[in-house]
Amino acid sequence: MIVTIDGVAASGKSSVSSGVARALGIPYVSSGLLYRAATLLGLEAGVDLHDAPALLALLDNHAPRLEPLAEGNRVWSGTRELTDALHSSRVDAGVSVVAVLPELRAWVDAQLRALPEPFVAEGRDMGTNVFPHAGAKFYLTASPRIRAERRARERPEDIPAIEAALVRRDAKDQVQSAPAPDAQVIDTGPLTLEGVIGVILEGLGE
Ligand code: C5P
């Protein structure tokens, strides 16, 4: 059984997915971390982030892999843990460039489809492209201001700057970010984290 939770940047997907996964007693899979890992490796190697063959060569060499745990996903490259370095503003700013490359999307999709079920898959296109036959699909939204306010609690930046960066990333991610026609769309704006998790568990009949 696969449950997909897609949504816009900073809509709370990871926290919600983690909560739902814990309630169900299964892992969650954060697909964005693989795009972030490719971006980080590209930035560290000084590779042009538009250069798909160069990025794929790096991925071949470093073979980053996702460890999907219910408490939080980790990413490894050999024995080096990349997780903490994946949420910098530099990676945020570059990741949408990498995520539009079809070759990179194919690489991420292959990693995800190789994971053993069951799990909760979180991202942009989990319910549309990667797992179209998922048992249940959800899509999270919230206004840019609310998302910026939430993110400001995690990062030492001011709300208008975060909001502007989110709006830029939304525009770049638009193509791969449409909700699946059979997804339940949830506006998380008026809800707490527990509230969103509750709506999803109810949707799953839990
Ligand atoms: O979810 P998160 O913010 O970590 O995702 C980082 C970036 O990875 C997104 O802004 C988007 O460009 C890309 N992404 C994607 N498809 C996914 C997950 C993430 O294009 N399924």
Side-chain angles (χ1 to χ4, degrees), residues 13 31-32 35-36 95-96 99 105 122-126 169 173 176:
K13 294 185 304 289
S31 57
Y35 290 101
R36 288 175 180 276
V95 67
S96 308
R105 300 203 72 79
E122 170 257 301
R124 298 291 191 294
D125 61 344
M126 299 298 98
R169 190 140 68 95
D173 286 344
Q176 69 265 25

Side-chain angles (χ1 to χ4, degrees), residues 7 28 69 154 158 170:
Y28 86 97
L69 304 165
E154 301 161 7
D158 65 315
D170 284 353

Side-chain angles (χ1 to χ4, degrees), residues 143-149 151-152 157-170:
S143 71
R145 175 47 66 108
I146 284 183
R147 290 184 278 138
E149 284 169 4
R151 188 133 283 184
E157 286 170 35
D158 65 315
I159 293 171
I162 299 176
E163 185 178 352
L166 282 175
V167 170
R168 278 198 300 276
R169 190 140 68 95
D170 284 353

Side-chain angles (χ1 to χ4, degrees), residues 30-200:
S30 178
S31 57
L33 290 182
L34 289 170
Y35 290 101
R36 288 175 180 276
T39 306
L40 177 72
L41 293 171
L43 289 169
E44 285 183 349
V47 158
D48 176 357
L49 296 183
H50 300 87
D51 186 344
L55 287 171
L56 286 178
L58 274 179
L59 292 170
D60 246 11
N61 258 332
H62 293 268
R65 41 172 224 293
L66 188 66
E67 186 183 12
L69 304 165
E71 316 80 73
N73 283 206
R74 301 168 78 173
V75 181
W76 299 88
S77 169
T79 54
R80 177 185 169 205
E81 181 167 10
L82 306 180
T83 319
D84 287 345
L86 297 179
H87 283 96
S88 67
S89 301
R90 204 164 70 114
V91 172
D92 278 1
V95 67
S96 308
V97 175
V98 169
V100 296
L101 302 171
E103 298 90 334
L104 267 289
R105 300 203 72 79
W107 176 82
V108 169
D109 295 354
Q111 312 289 311
L112 297 171
R113 291 188 181 125
L115 295 169
E117 296 183 33
F119 53 79
V120 175
E122 170 257 301
R124 298 291 191 294
D125 61 344
M126 299 298 98
T128 47
N129 293 328
V130 186
F131 303 115
H133 305 299
K137 302 180 184 179
F138 300 89
Y139 190 91
L140 308 186
T141 64
S143 71
R145 175 47 66 108
I146 284 183
R147 290 184 278 138
E149 284 169 4
R150 289 180 185 154
R151 188 133 283 184
R153 291 186 214 122
E154 301 161 7
R155 292 181 199 197
E157 286 170 35
D158 65 315
I159 293 171
I162 299 176
E163 185 178 352
L166 282 175
V167 170
R168 278 198 300 276
R169 190 140 68 95
D170 284 353
K172 289 185 190 152
D173 286 344
Q174 216 170 11
V175 177
Q176 69 265 25
S177 281
D182 50 346
Q184 179 181 339
V185 178
I186 303 170
D187 178 7
T188 68
L191 299 171
T192 60
L193 173 59
E194 288 69 31
V196 182
I197 293 169
V199 170
I200 291 180

